[in-house]
Amino acid sequence: MKICATFKLEKQRSRSTMLRVTSASLCASCQRMRLLLSPSVSASSGIPPIKREENQRTVSSLYELSVDIRKVRKFKGWVLSESTAYVSETADVLRDMGADAAVIARILETHPEAVLCRPEEVIAQRDLWESVCSSKRTLLNIIEKFPASFFSVNHHSNQRANILYLQSLRLCKRIISKLMASAPQSFSRPVESNKEVIHTLRETYLDLGGDEANLRIWLQKLLTQNPHILLRPAEAWRDSLSFLREQGFTTEELLSLVSSLRASIAELKPESMRQALDHIEGALNCSKDELKKVVIQCPAVLYYSLPMLAGRFQGLMDAGMSIKQVKESPNVLELTTQIVLYRIQKLASYGYDVRSGSLDLIVGTKKDFEMTYTKLNLRQQRPLFNPVAPLRSIEE
């Protein structure tokens, strides 16, 4: 019996020892996994990420330039931990372009990643951008507003190729620099992609009856109105135009729509346009020809969602407007219900009842409407002169 008891005791001790060894090895494995896990994985799994030590030289250099370190640490703290940074060199390049201390501080606060670019890359980028800017001051203004676009040095060769291509189209420098600033992705991709889109735009314009002599001006307008136009696939343009042709729009009407919708027509899908047209046709109880007139007068109905269209139309009906009025002035659908109600009340205060007249008085921009009710107010205040009325003296 003593032998059995001794054997059981030894067995239990052995098991406890094995458990301790296993637990210790698991803990060591967990520690190793924490070191290997990326910050994103650590955050998703609940494991606190390991904080990298900041580069004190970078922090000191930014501090000397009056950069708000707390702001950088809050939003782009990883920049401060990079082993190599070119703070003073980047500041020198900006200073050479005419930037004062306040401007340099603002740029580096907004886009601290700029200090990670090698000086020769920044200088090459400066020379490239100066080729499409009228002056260093103009370039500096662009860098202040779009620092991320300027410091995208990884796609320098693609940027150069795209600039040369757009210059070959005789587009003005102002248009090209605006595109580079507000749509840098267009210049980061291979030039062949942009050539395909421009070719499609050219074909579209000429197929719709446009004049080759006015092509450059038309392109510049499109690019100015929507700088992201080059990012739209060429197929999207073809699909949208093919659908509208099927609806019976003439080439002249299509050209008008393309010009009105700017590059937004490439964002429209045939199915969504079909739903919008069906809804307008049913709500306004109009024929195909009347529907086309509505779309030409108010192209925005093609890209409004069904809930938005239905809500605005119902708001007009609730305000006492008639279907005939909406059909005659479809641009009123571009206004929110709140704006419509405000303008109706404003005109009513001057004695004009929109429900018995035209909706043209309430459509348009805020400036347009202000001019309208100002004229009504003046007309109300100014007495009408009656040439046959007897003249009265002051004494009378």
Side-chain angles (χ1 to χ4, degrees):
M1 293 293 291
K2 289 183 179 179
I3 295 172
C4 291
T6 303
F7 177 75
K8 287 181 179 179
L9 184 60
E10 290 294 332
K11 194 173 182 180
Q12 289 174 354
R13 287 176 179 172
S14 177
R15 284 180 178 175
S16 62
T17 302
M18 289 178 64
L19 285 171
R20 284 197 297 272
V21 172
T22 304
S23 300
S25 62
L26 284 173
C27 289
S29 299
C30 289
Q31 291 294 331
R32 286 195 296 270
M33 286 300 293
R34 285 189 180 187
L35 292 172
L36 293 173
L37 282 173
S38 63
S40 59
V41 175
S42 299
S44 61
S45 60
I47 301 172
I50 299 171
K51 190 174 182 180
R52 296 171 60 193
E53 187 176 351
E54 291 182 351
N55 185 334
Q56 291 305 313
R57 184 179 177 183
T58 302
V59 174
S60 300
S61 299
L62 290 172
Y63 183 78
E64 290 174 1
L65 293 170
S66 301
V67 175
D68 189 343
I69 302 298
R70 290 176 299 178
K71 183 177 179 181
V72 175
R73 190 175 283 131
K74 180 179 180 181
F75 297 103
K76 302 284 182 67
W78 62 272
V79 174
L80 302 177
S81 301
E82 293 298 311
S83 58
T84 304
Y86 307 93
V87 180
S88 59
E89 293 87 345
T90 304
D92 287 341
V93 175
L94 294 173
R95 200 174 289 112
D96 289 342
M97 286 189 281
D100 58 23
V103 170
I104 294 173
R106 281 199 301 270
I107 292 173
L108 297 185
E109 282 175 13
T110 307
H111 192 74
E113 301 98 310
V115 303
L116 304 180
C117 302
R118 294 199 300 269
E120 58 270 22
E121 293 175 334
V122 178
I123 292 173
Q125 197 76 338
R126 179 200 63 191
D127 295 342
L128 179 64
W129 281 66
E130 282 183 350
S131 68
V132 293
C133 291
S134 57
S135 65
K136 287 186 177 182
R137 184 68 237 178
T138 302
L139 174 55
L140 188 60
N141 290 336
I142 291 176
I143 297 174
E144 280 192 76
K145 295 178 182 178
F146 307 95
S149 300
F150 176 79
F151 289 103
S152 300
V153 298
N154 295 331
H155 306 283
H156 184 81
S157 58
N158 283 342
Q159 290 175 346
R160 179 176 294 278
N162 279 299
I163 287 174
L164 292 174
Y165 170 62
L166 293 179
Q167 286 177 334
S168 70
L169 298 176
R170 296 186 299 114
L171 300 183
C172 68
K173 289 183 176 182
R174 183 178 57 83
I175 302 295
I176 298 176
S177 60
K178 181 179 179 180
L179 285 172
M180 291 179 68
S182 52
Q185 307 93 325
S186 303
F187 288 78
S188 299
R189 62 183 192 162
V191 66
E192 289 75 20
S193 301
N194 288 333
K195 283 183 177 180
E196 183 182 3
V197 176
I198 293 293
H199 178 71
T200 301
L201 292 175
R202 180 179 180 278
E203 282 188 333
T204 300
Y205 178 73
L206 296 178
D207 288 347
L208 297 179
D211 187 1
E212 179 77 44
N214 297 324
L215 175 61
R216 183 177 64 87
I217 298 174
W218 184 76
L219 270 178
Q220 287 191 158
K221 283 184 178 179
L222 281 183
L223 294 171
T224 303
Q225 293 164 346
N226 190 340
H228 297 89
I229 184 175
L230 295 176
L231 297 175
R232 309 298 177 220
E235 295 77 13
W237 281 88
R238 300 189 188 104
D239 293 344
S240 298
L241 290 173
S242 296
F243 170 79
L244 292 173
R245 276 198 182 96
E246 293 172 2
Q247 307 309 306
F249 288 95
T250 64
T251 54
E252 184 179 353
E253 291 169 341
L254 285 174
L255 184 59
S256 173
L257 281 176
V258 171
S259 301
S260 299
L261 289 169
R262 305 169 185 176
S264 300
I265 195 168
E267 302 172 9
L268 300 175
K269 296 180 180 178
E271 184 57 33
S272 63
M273 287 192 287
R274 186 185 304 279
Q275 292 175 357
L277 291 176
D278 289 344
H279 178 80
I280 293 297
E281 185 178 4
L284 297 182
N285 191 25
C286 55
S287 64
K288 292 293 182 183
D289 288 338
E290 289 175 328
L291 179 62
K292 284 170 55 180
K293 291 180 181 178
V294 168
V295 173
I296 291 170
Q297 284 183 262
C298 183
V301 298
L302 290 174
Y303 57 78
Y304 285 155
S305 65
L306 284 182
M308 181 182 290
L309 281 174
R312 292 186 177 184
F313 181 77
Q314 189 58 48
L316 291 168
M317 297 298 101
D318 294 342
M321 306 300 109
S322 67
I323 292 178
K324 181 182 178 182
Q325 284 178 303
V326 178
K327 194 185 298 185
E328 291 174 349
S329 305
N331 281 5
V332 72
L333 293 171
E334 295 178 353
L335 306 175
T336 64
T337 302
Q338 290 80 2
I339 292 176
V340 169
L341 293 176
Y342 167 78
R343 293 184 178 183
I344 290 175
Q345 292 172 0
K346 193 78 174 178
L347 293 179
S349 66
Y350 296 135
Y352 185 85
D353 186 2
V354 178
R355 291 171 296 182
S356 60
S358 171
L359 298 183
D360 288 341
L361 290 178
I362 64 172
V363 300
T365 63
K366 181 181 178 181
K367 185 177 180 181
D368 296 334
F369 178 69
E370 288 175 349
M371 290 177 63
T372 298
Y373 76 72
T374 300
K375 290 178 181 178
L376 286 175
N377 188 31
L378 289 173
R379 188 182 303 170
Q380 184 184 45
Q381 293 177 350
R382 185 185 302 143
L384 293 176
F385 174 69
N386 187 351
V388 297
L391 295 176
R392 295 183 179 182
S393 64
I394 297 176
E395 290 77 14
E396 296 177 354

